[in-house]
Amino acid sequence: MNPYDEPSAPGAGPGLSPVSAGADGEDRAVEAALRPRDLDEFIGQERVREQLSLVLQAARHRAATPDHVLLSGPPGLGKTTLAMIIAAELNAPIRITSGPAIQHAGDLAAILSSLTEGEVLFLDEIHRMSRPAEEMLYMAMEDFRVDVIVGKGPGATAIPLELPPFTLVGATTRAGLLPPPLRDRFGFTGHMEFYAPAELERVIHRSARLLDVQIDADAAAEIAGRSRGTPRIANRLLRRVRDYAQVRHDGLVNQEIAAAALAVYEVDARGLDRLDRAVLHALLKLFGGGPVGLSTLAVAVGEESETVEEVAEPFLVREGLLARTPRGRIATAAAWAHLGITPPQAPPHAALPTQQELFRTGSEGGSEE
Ligand SMILES: Nc1ncnc2c1ncn2[C@@H]1O[C@H](COP(=O)(O)OP(=O)(O)OP(=O)(O)O)[C@@H](O)[C@H]1O
């Protein structure tokens, strides 16, 4: 399973954890209203923005359809938003679909054959498309042509079908999973990075304006610091803070109110949720900071190993609070400090992996036992 496709974290009620990067129904409904409409309005991702702007301007200059674009990066960073901006900047219509929705080559042929000249086709989760559809896409991307197979068995014939020039915008959380022939057919690949806190503050101020929420600079910084570098999470936390401010106060959001609201939703000052903290707490309190095997750790927090590995760990590792080593999971000095727990006898860095171990971790990362 994709570590970014976070299932709902336990304790978060029927929906997602407030700091999950995935989107639920409520997110989808509000996101449309909060999406920046052009490149100037799009906050952060300076490099991708500049590169993309050149690709689009050059295409406009030549009055041609731009090269196909691949956007890669974790969920909630703005890939869908950028795809819509590309279409808007080109003044072209956009068709939106996703890899899992295209299971047969015929599904893709139907979409491709109905595209109009210059249209943008946004294919989300492109790494999850079926192999036959993927192969059809190669030809469509390169030659603007597909072979539609009519009939079955020995009597089957391939009927070539010309397509109008179009621009494919593919999005993936896992660029590494794309077969090289597909990856190579994109003229431009934009790698989306997590956002800096100052950029998230701008996202929050912008969304607050659109949602008619009055928020001061300290409150925006408070929410930004808990948003895990992800605009989708920033927007969601802003909405939870707005609820709290409206129900318990007069609707104005200051830093104290933002912090109190997010405490209710169990999102701490660094953006860790209940499960993240439970994992760290067990690692520190029960296992002295590790090393401990994944399944033992999962039992200790009453969760499936998969949930711990795919929902909690990616962020804990990214934050430098937990490390995966061949001997098992270990807490870093930052983890002890974050939970305010004093390490038992040996200093926590005694449990840190050697350089050699760190280089060996990779995907095997302590799935031992
Ligand atoms: N740079 C940005 N500036 C302002 N808002 C942003 C930015 N990037 C993303 N957002 C907001 O974050 C939300 C999520 O963005 P989007 O749906 O584009 O992410 P995504 O990368 O496509 O996620 P997924 O892969 O899960 O579909 C949207 O509401 C969007 O308005």
Side-chain angles (χ1 to χ4, degrees):
M1 184 188 164
N2 175 354
Y4 295 123
D5 291 343
E6 302 174 359
S8 59
L16 298 167
S17 158
V19 287
S20 159
D24 62 13
E26 186 198 345
D27 291 313
R28 297 275 178 225
V30 210
E31 272 176 5
L34 295 181
R35 280 188 208 290
R37 309 271 162 201
D38 57 38
L39 274 181
D40 288 337
E41 233 190 304
F42 192 85
I43 294 161
Q45 309 291 343
E46 302 300 340
R47 190 167 312 149
V48 173
R49 232 157 31 104
E50 185 183 2
Q51 294 166 339
L52 202 50
S53 158
L54 284 170
V55 170
L56 298 178
Q57 280 183 49
R60 271 201 303 260
H61 197 71
R62 293 191 296 266
T65 49
D67 276 351
H68 304 299
V69 173
L70 179 66
L71 300 172
S72 78
L77 298 193
K79 297 183 294 299
T80 307
T81 305
L82 266 188
M84 291 180 163
I85 288 176
I86 290 172
E89 297 268 343
L90 293 170
N91 216 357
I94 182 166
R95 188 83 55 95
I96 297 180
T97 185
S98 71
I102 300 178
Q103 280 317 312
H104 305 287
D107 301 336
L108 182 65
I111 294 172
L112 291 171
S113 61
S114 64
L115 290 176
T116 54
E117 182 163 347
E119 192 159 357
V120 172
L121 173 63
F122 177 55
L123 229 168
D124 203 3
E125 297 185 82
I126 193 168
H127 59 276
R128 293 178 62 191
M129 215 172 25
S130 72
R131 184 44 67 99
E134 209 170 80
E135 278 164 13
M136 175 178 275
L137 193 59
Y138 296 160
M139 196 194 282
M141 290 171 79
E142 198 152 284
D143 303 329
F144 297 112
R145 187 171 69 86
V146 287
D147 280 339
V148 180
I149 309 293
V150 180
K152 279 190 173 152
T157 42
I159 300 182
L161 185 68
E162 296 293 325
L163 303 173
F166 66 95
T167 300
L168 176 70
V169 180
T172 180
T173 49
R174 321 200 81 189
L177 285 189
L178 289 189
L182 179 56
R183 222 176 329 160
D184 294 347
R185 282 172 168 80
F186 287 97
F188 167 69
T189 298
H191 297 283
M192 315 278 289
E193 308 283 349
F194 286 107
Y195 289 65
E199 293 169 339
L200 289 179
E201 285 173 39
R202 287 169 57 203
V203 170
I204 291 164
H205 280 301
R206 179 182 171 277
S207 300
R209 250 192 333 273
L210 293 171
L211 296 171
D212 214 7
V213 178
Q214 289 199 46
I215 182 169
D216 69 21
D218 291 341
E222 186 69 43
I223 299 172
R226 301 180 190 221
S227 300
R228 301 162 83 121
T230 307
R232 171 174 289 137
I233 298 177
N235 284 340
R236 186 185 304 132
L237 295 186
L238 172 66
R239 299 200 305 277
R240 296 293 72 82
V241 169
R242 171 183 64 172
D243 295 347
Y244 181 93
Q246 285 174 347
V247 174
R248 304 237 173 123
H249 298 272
D250 59 2
L252 300 185
V253 179
N254 61 27
Q255 195 233 337
E256 205 181 316
I257 288 175
L262 295 176
V264 170
Y265 289 98
E266 301 187 277
V267 178
D268 77 13
R270 207 162 165 169
L272 273 65
D273 69 1
R274 194 200 60 83
L275 176 66
D276 301 326
R277 279 194 308 280
V279 168
L280 277 193
H281 196 266
L283 183 55
L284 301 183
K285 283 297 240 190
L286 302 179
F287 307 108
V292 60
L294 172 65
S295 52
T296 308
L297 188 57
V299 169
V301 294
E303 289 296 343
E304 297 294 327
S305 299
E306 265 200 350
T307 309
V308 171
E309 187 174 29
E310 291 161 7
V311 179
E313 283 188 353
F315 182 64
L316 296 177
V317 171
R318 199 179 108 208
E319 283 290 290
L321 296 167
L322 178 145
R324 295 165 167 171
T325 78
R327 286 179 294 143
R329 272 53 176 172
I330 58 169
T332 63
W336 293 94
H338 184 64
L339 289 202
I341 302 173
T342 314
Q345 338 85 356
H349 59 256
L352 281 174
T354 61
Q355 283 287 37
Q356 204 187 12
E357 281 176 340
L358 271 177
F359 280 113
R360 270 194 286 130
T361 47
S363 56
E364 88 267 29
S367 299
E368 68 311 310
E369 292 193 341

